[in-house]
Amino acid sequence: MGLLARRNLFHDKVRFAVTLTGIVFALVLIIIQFGLFLGFTTTTSNNIDHSNADLWIVFHGVGYFDTGRNFSERKFYQVLSTPGVERAEKYMQAFGRWKRPDGREENIQVIGFHPGSGLGEPWNVVQGSTADLRQEDSVLVDELYREKLGVREIGDRVEIGDHRARVVGFTRGIRSFTTSPFVYATFKTSLDYTNPASSEDSTAYILVKAAEGVAPKQLKERLSERLNDVDVYTTAEFSRKTRFYWMFTTGAGLAVLTAALMGLVVGVAVVAQTIYAATMDHIREYGTLKAMGATNRYLYRVLIEQAVWSAVLGYGLAMIVAHFIVAASEKGGAVILMPWLMSAGMLVLAIVMCITAALVSINKVTRIDPAMVFRG
Amino acid sequence: MRQGDAWAVIRARGLSKIYREGKTELRALDGVDLEVRAGELTLLMGPSGSGKTTLLSILGCILRASAGKLEVLGEDVATLQESELPRIRREAIGFVFQGFNLFPTLTAEENVALSLDVRGIPRSKANKRAEELLREVGLLEKARSFPADLSGGQKQRVAIARALAGDPPILLADEPTAALDSTSGRTVIELLQRLAHVHGRAVVLVTHDPRVLSYGDRIIHLEDGRILREEKNSEGVMSEPASIEAAATPMGISREFSI
């Protein structure tokens, strides 16, 4: 049975190549779409997930990271005086205007933090360091945006919101989902760049580290009771809210998930068509098998084995193609993520897809009249 | 002695088959009574549309009769569920087709072994048996050849080896010599005759081929779905079956077989 399945599958090499192409196309399409989805979701909450904070305190009603609204600094001192808080830092996020050396302007997101605090710092700094930000009017940007921001190396000078700025370092792989690159500066410098309405109301977020032995949830409740007009989230909660906002409220997630679903449908259709055509080519042989006493179950196993072979080989090729695409995406504006769980899931998906596709053929084979073998 | 009931591996009484298409009815078989006996080569002859192939399909448990009674090795086929018919075919019947129906992607040996795979025989045992059968039909040297590389006669001998793989007491052949030249046709019919006369199998042949007439023990002439007449061919009767008892063994009991 195994031999027949393999021979029938591999005998017509052109047809088999078409089958594999269909499977690879579908799987790569699904991998890219799901990978983009994962990449997008990760990107939207990047700064939260890398903040090293236990809690995020935000202006009441702020639902996601990119719309931080400033509130009074007094709250910061209230937080500091709350039992169970080991450390708290002010954190700023605001949109600003970046004037390139050639005069062109770009929108940016300014992130203000306290270098050395261990909270809310940029990560993956590949040139310079966060400590260099202590120099006046200095910023860190991601090397992905060198071109967009018109800077090439450390020392390049630009203007942000009519203030001078000097690039003192680069990060690697910190993307912005909003297309406005993140520009990291000290909290104080970031205020210069974003001009809040009043220096009193200058804090967009307060990042909190709980003292050892204090559960973040417990501290969250304590802070919520003490503070008015703000919301307190655990880092995971705020991250989830931000991801959910971008992925499902804006429709961005729906678009990539729909495309992934389309990939699945296309894959099933292509594979179903090719397996069906191959079955029809061998229909007389299946009739002969039935006449010889083969049960429907025996024939199903032949077809399912063909489907599984197609799936496994198609998956192998798709993973090779996907590997190159994922690697290439690391240097692009949108990252495609393919964690191992997704890779394993794709194998299961490929097998399910191919077996689903084989159902059309299974239905056909079930209906074969073995008496056909006596008809010329 | 040879026509005694003990040798009747198939008994058909009043077999009828009606095909319906819309309001049109076609009576392909009309009250056929027939006994197929072990050790005999039975020829079914008649013009196109006379019901030969329909009768062969019913005798082979591939098609159900519209009316009548059919016993295969003593088992009443009419009372069996549809799902049990494949078991009867596996255990009792081997088929040989006009167009050979070999699997083009498998070698001669694999084609024969596939018939055993269908019966759940392990691969190594199936391959060994396939080799034995190909040796018996004189094609061992072609065991690794694909059907496309075999002549018509060779293909039909592989098909006969395949039909014998499950050691069936009944062999049903549909025009097995029609697509063959005279030499190949003679080789094939002699092989089938030997299977009947030497090894005690019941062989039924549907044929138009006048070259095979002299080989049949019985010639049954069909027309318009009825048996017109039956002839006995004394010239075709050769030696007594060598393994009559084996041929009449009820299904399900394993028998060693060699051509």
Side-chain angles (χ1 to χ4, degrees), chain A residues 1-4 6-8 11 282 284-286 288-295 298 369-376, chain B residues 53 56-57 62-63 86-87 89-90 95-97 101-107 110 114-115 117-119 123 146 162 174:
Chain A
M1 171 184 13
L3 183 68
L4 181 64
R6 287 194 299 280
R7 289 284 177 80
N8 277 358
H11 183 69
H282 295 285
R284 199 170 178 81
E285 293 157 34
Y286 289 116
T288 304
L289 275 173
K290 272 196 161 183
M292 282 158 56
T295 56
Y298 182 92
D369 177 4
M372 72 180 290
V373 293
F374 289 127
R375 295 176 204 130
Chain B
T53 301
L56 195 73
S57 301
I62 279 179
L63 198 63
R87 174 183 61 80
R89 296 202 291 271
R90 280 196 305 274
F95 292 96
V96 178
F97 310 102
N101 291 17
L102 295 176
F103 293 71
T105 60
L106 302 181
T107 64
E110 289 162 351
L114 182 67
S115 178
D117 188 51
V118 166
R119 292 167 170 84
R123 171 86 64 90
F146 286 92
R162 178 177 69 180
D174 183 36

Side-chain angles (χ1 to χ4, degrees), chain B residues 155-218:
Chain B
K155 283 180 197 167
Q156 199 58 293
R157 279 147 68 196
V158 172
I160 291 171
R162 178 177 69 180
L164 294 171
D167 201 8
I170 302 162
L171 206 60
L172 303 180
D174 183 36
E175 305 265 15
T177 58
L180 305 180
D181 59 47
S182 60
T183 310
S184 300
R186 193 165 58 246
T187 308
V188 166
I189 190 65
E190 283 174 357
L191 182 57
L192 292 171
Q193 191 188 48
R194 191 149 53 90
L195 289 167
H197 292 174
V198 180
H199 301 286
R201 291 173 200 281
V203 181
V204 180
L205 237 78
V206 162
T207 186
H208 275 107
D209 189 350
R211 297 172 298 182
V212 307
L213 281 179
S214 60
Y215 293 89
D217 300 311
R218 294 159 71 204

